[in-house]
Amino acid sequence: MEFIQRTTLPVLAGATVAGFAAQRVSQTVLDGFYARSGYPVPYYVGQLSFSADKLSGWYTAMLQAGTLGVYWQTQFMDFAFIAATALLFTAALALVARAFPAGTRARRIATLAVPLGVFAPLCDVVENLFSFAMLPDPGSVNPVLAVLYSSAAALKFAGFFAVYLWIPVALIAALAQRRRR
């Protein structure tokens, strides 16, 4: 991960701030689309249902309400959130790696965590692709697609959890290591 060592701290900090701002804005817009779609349950409930019958019911409810088209738009809008999240996570994880003293084992380990920045966003892309495969026939969702869709969502949420846990823990460890030096 040579780019981590060669990228200046102001560039990494700026990319982290830009990623955070873009993620917040895209999340706000995405939430508005989601609300207008009338999806009958919270998004995480639907994404983690692992149930073709439940997904078919929720999709059919939107179809009958005339809002399934808005839900399609929501899926496309999600790609802005995905891109913002990839920028935020990758830049923040690189910045955290740089917080450790150069040449230390801790920095090498923290550098290995940087690819996690794109893991959750890529899982989100896969989840959306499965969603696109299920939406053309909302009343008859394929059970295998439903399981694959929910599996991608579960991996996405696990990736988010790992990043959000790693960043503060690693920053505290980096500060402690720098104080000891």
Side-chain angles (χ1 to χ4, degrees):
M1 296 273 174
E2 194 172 313
F3 89 93
I4 296 170
Q5 310 316 323
R6 287 204 270 161
T7 306
T8 66
L9 289 176
V11 168
L12 288 175
T16 301
V17 170
F20 179 79
Q23 190 194 47
R24 295 296 89 216
V25 168
S26 61
Q27 179 71 62
T28 300
V29 173
L30 187 60
D31 288 346
F33 271 88
Y34 192 76
R36 285 190 301 281
S37 78
Y39 198 80
V41 296
Y43 70 92
Y44 56 87
V45 172
Q47 291 174 2
L48 296 174
S49 71
F50 291 90
S51 169
D53 290 339
K54 288 179 181 179
L55 287 167
S56 289
W58 297 324
Y59 291 165
T60 300
M62 289 185 293
L63 181 65
Q64 291 171 346
T67 60
L68 189 61
V70 177
Y71 187 72
W72 273 92
Q73 294 170 353
T74 304
Q75 296 304 297
F76 285 109
M77 185 59 216
D78 193 26
F79 286 102
F81 174 77
I82 291 166
T85 299
L87 174 62
L88 170 62
F89 283 3
T90 303
L93 290 167
L95 198 56
V96 167
R98 289 285 297 275
F100 286 96
T104 62
R105 180 174 179 246
R107 182 182 273 195
R108 287 190 298 279
I109 291 169
T111 299
L112 292 174
V114 173
L116 189 57
V118 295
F119 175 76
L122 286 176
C123 289
D124 204 353
V125 167
V126 170
E127 170 199 312
N128 283 2
L129 294 176
F130 285 125
S131 180
F132 290 140
M134 294 185 297
L135 284 170
D137 189 5
S140 182
V141 170
N142 181 306
V144 173
L145 287 178
V147 169
L148 292 171
Y149 167 76
S150 292
S151 297
L155 289 170
K156 171 190 70 174
F157 289 126
F160 269 75
F161 179 77
V163 169
Y164 287 136
L165 179 63
W166 172 254
I167 288 174
V169 168
L171 280 175
I172 291 167
L175 290 172
Q177 194 172 66
R178 285 192 176 272
R179 286 192 104 145
R180 278 184 259 145
R181 286 184 154 227

